[in-house]
Amino acid sequence: MTHPEHPPASSAVALAPDTRRLPPRAARAWTEKMRVRALGDGRYVVVGQSDSAYEVDLQSGWCTCPDHQYRGERCKHLRRVALEITGGRLPDPDRRATTCMACGRRAFVRSEEPAVCESCRFTPGTTVRDRETDDLLVVVEQTGDRTDCVLIDEGTVADYPTNVGYPHGDPVVMCVYPFSGPADEPFEQQQQYAFPHSRLKREWRPQRDERDFPVVPASSP
Ligand SMILES: [Zn+2]
Ligand SMILES: [Zn+2]
């Protein structure tokens, strides 16, 4: 499974809200054509209409442009980066843009997290079913390691006979069988098994806020 790498760059368009009542720098941040790209570590490169490239460090509020360097202004580049992040087009300073290993979509994940988007990620304690056996499992860890890179008994997780039908680029999910050990033994201390992500499906559960329980008054007549 291969996915094209989408660079975390925004398109060179004006964002254009009604800027007539904004101060000039704020208005330019909205309306001027700028290309913005995340460099990592909270830094961004901004290329404006004049084709000059400036570097923005969002955390320290610093920009290499003359407006900021000589006049100390919160320049249009700093403002534009903040606007692009707010609009979800660029990653937060503490996140990186990546391609989700499970679904192939673009995702913003924290630096230390695996390259798996929030909707695909199995958080520890999630109950899942093995599509092959219908066994119930509990997730201990969602890793960012490919199944063809993780060694188990004789070969990789991808080589395991019942895993051959699943994509080799799948991220490995470490699971336990919840009823295999003593009831008071923490899952992390039980024997763990490595599964390809797409071999697991979430147990269906109602959304907490969509449950249709009748509301019973605390004191009934
Ligand atoms: Zn600037
Ligand atoms: Zn995903």
Side-chain angles (χ1 to χ4, degrees):
M1 194 165 62
T2 55
H3 303 288
E5 190 69 40
H6 299 293
S10 60
S11 50
V13 290
L15 302 176
D18 183 358
T19 54
R20 282 169 295 188
R21 300 167 72 182
L22 292 174
R25 277 190 185 80
R28 284 200 292 276
W30 280 102
T31 55
E32 282 187 19
K33 288 188 178 178
M34 293 187 231
R35 282 178 295 161
V36 187
R37 186 159 181 180
L39 300 170
D41 297 328
R43 295 177 311 116
Y44 301 81
V45 63
V46 182
V47 177
Q49 287 170 333
S50 65
D51 222 32
S52 327
Y54 300 110
E55 197 180 305
V56 163
D57 184 325
L58 198 65
Q59 270 140 341
S60 55
W62 187 82
C63 182
T64 54
C65 77
D67 198 29
H68 182 75
Q69 292 298 311
Y70 301 122
R71 290 184 284 277
E73 293 291 343
R74 188 159 184 270
C75 60
K76 61 187 179 186
H77 311 110
L78 274 162
R79 292 165 191 260
R80 180 59 172 260
V81 168
L83 289 173
E84 299 269 2
I85 291 168
T86 309
R89 290 175 295 274
L90 279 177
D92 282 337
D94 62 344
R95 288 176 186 254
R96 64 192 160 95
T98 187
T99 303
C100 174
M101 294 173 72
C103 70
R105 282 193 285 258
R106 193 175 164 218
F108 296 146
V109 300
R110 291 191 192 286
S111 320
E112 72 280 5
E113 283 173 344
V116 180
C117 77
E118 253 168 64
S119 38
C120 292
R121 194 177 310 155
F122 291 126
T123 50
T126 304
T127 47
V128 292
R129 288 272 170 194
D130 180 350
R131 292 181 196 274
E132 298 294 316
T133 62
D134 210 39
D135 282 332
L136 181 71
L137 297 155
V138 174
V139 172
V140 177
E141 187 191 357
Q142 166 74 70
T143 80
D145 303 322
R146 294 167 55 101
T147 52
D148 55 2
C149 296
V150 174
L151 286 168
I152 48 174
D153 304 334
E154 285 153 30
T156 67
V157 175
D159 297 329
Y160 194 73
T162 48
N163 289 343
V164 289
Y166 297 96
H168 285 195
D170 251 15
V172 168
V173 183
M174 300 303 296
C175 297
V176 295
Y177 292 90
F179 301 108
S180 67
D184 60 348
E185 187 180 31
F187 288 139
E188 302 78 54
Q189 289 170 22
Q190 288 187 24
Q191 172 72 51
Q192 297 180 18
Y193 299 87
F195 286 86
H197 183 281
S198 31
R199 181 168 162 168
L200 304 171
K201 62 176 184 222
R202 272 171 228 272
E203 274 285 273
W204 181 84
R205 65 175 70 192
Q207 292 293 308
R208 258 175 216 278
D209 48 359
E210 287 170 14
R211 278 185 304 193
D212 200 14
F213 288 142
V215 178
V216 181
S219 58
S220 36

